[in-house]
Amino acid sequence: MSSFDIFSQELAEQLPAVIEEILSIPSENRVYSIAFVTTDDFYGFYVSFDYDTVDNPHNIWEHFEWKHAIYPSFLYQTLVDIVEGSTIDFTRTSDEKWAFAEQLMMLLNKHIQALPHEVFEKYGYQKEDILFFTTMSDGDYMDELLTESAKLFNQSETLEKYQISLED
């Protein structure tokens, strides 16, 4: 079984619980966005999220200032294993590094789309209420990952609802 297959299996098994953990956190505000954030060399993911408040303009471009995050071990170690087993130089911008990013986006999208509606409905949400994306905490593909993943992971209605502009 390849490393990406293992990562996909772990996403299938554990991602619903991660999303449910976020949505179940008591708060007077509603979660509006969930981000899968990695480093510039793809050394693991953590999951960050932000709430809908009167003062919050839904600015996903400032995800690095969000104060809410969880750190599921399967999103860290499994990705580290993939990176360490790769011949790609993750310290430099390259076509291979971007192709790796695209592969991760496709895999995340597959599992985000497969999330059961019950995970959301249990806490008074619809899947379309949440804006999903992935990006880097810093690095050469930060903006590209955010833009491309937000378009890929979400319906256009969700992007419009939060007035998210993803123009290049």
Side-chain angles (χ1 to χ4, degrees):
M1 182 178 283
S2 79
S3 297
F4 274 104
D5 290 340
I6 293 168
F7 189 51
S8 182
Q9 181 179 341
E10 290 188 358
L11 280 168
E13 293 171 0
Q14 298 183 51
L15 186 58
V18 169
I19 301 305
E20 188 166 342
E21 179 181 345
I22 291 168
L23 299 179
S24 71
I25 295 172
S27 174
E28 65 278 0
N29 303 308
R30 294 182 53 82
V31 172
Y32 84 90
S33 191
I34 297 176
F36 298 87
V37 183
T38 188
T39 59
D40 64 341
D41 58 0
F42 294 102
Y43 228 70
F45 278 113
Y46 69 93
V47 183
S48 186
F49 56 99
D50 205 15
Y51 291 107
D52 183 13
T53 66
V54 173
D55 300 330
N56 188 349
H58 302 109
N59 189 349
I60 61 174
W61 294 101
E62 294 185 12
H63 60 87
F64 48 84
E65 292 186 9
W66 295 357
K67 296 175 177 39
H68 313 286
I70 58 174
Y71 301 86
S73 60
F74 83 95
L75 285 175
Y76 178 78
Q77 190 58 52
T78 308
L79 189 55
V80 167
D81 293 344
I82 293 169
V83 167
E84 288 182 348
S86 175
T87 59
I88 298 170
D89 180 356
F90 289 101
T91 63
R92 295 194 165 96
T93 304
S94 69
D95 291 342
E96 294 82 14
K97 185 175 177 179
W98 180 247
F100 183 87
E102 289 179 316
Q103 190 171 4
L104 282 177
M105 279 190 290
M106 293 301 180
L107 196 55
L108 283 170
N109 183 55
K110 172 185 172 184
H111 293 287
I112 289 168
Q113 300 312 318
L115 287 166
H117 288 284
E118 296 78 23
V119 168
F120 298 90
E121 291 168 354
K122 185 176 182 179
Y123 300 99
Y125 291 89
Q126 297 295 313
K127 187 184 296 187
E128 297 76 25
D129 292 336
I130 308 295
L131 182 81
F132 289 95
F133 65 94
T134 189
T135 190
M136 295 177 159
S137 52
D138 60 14
D140 25 57
Y141 293 118
M142 202 168 122
D143 292 345
E144 293 90 339
L145 271 172
L146 190 153
T147 301
E148 293 306 312
S149 67
K151 290 177 190 175
L152 181 64
F153 297 172
N154 301 284
Q155 295 180 1
S156 59
E157 295 81 16
T158 304
L159 297 172
E160 291 170 13
K161 175 180 179 178
Y162 294 114
Q163 299 175 351
I164 302 301
S165 175
L166 299 173
E167 299 304 317
D168 295 334

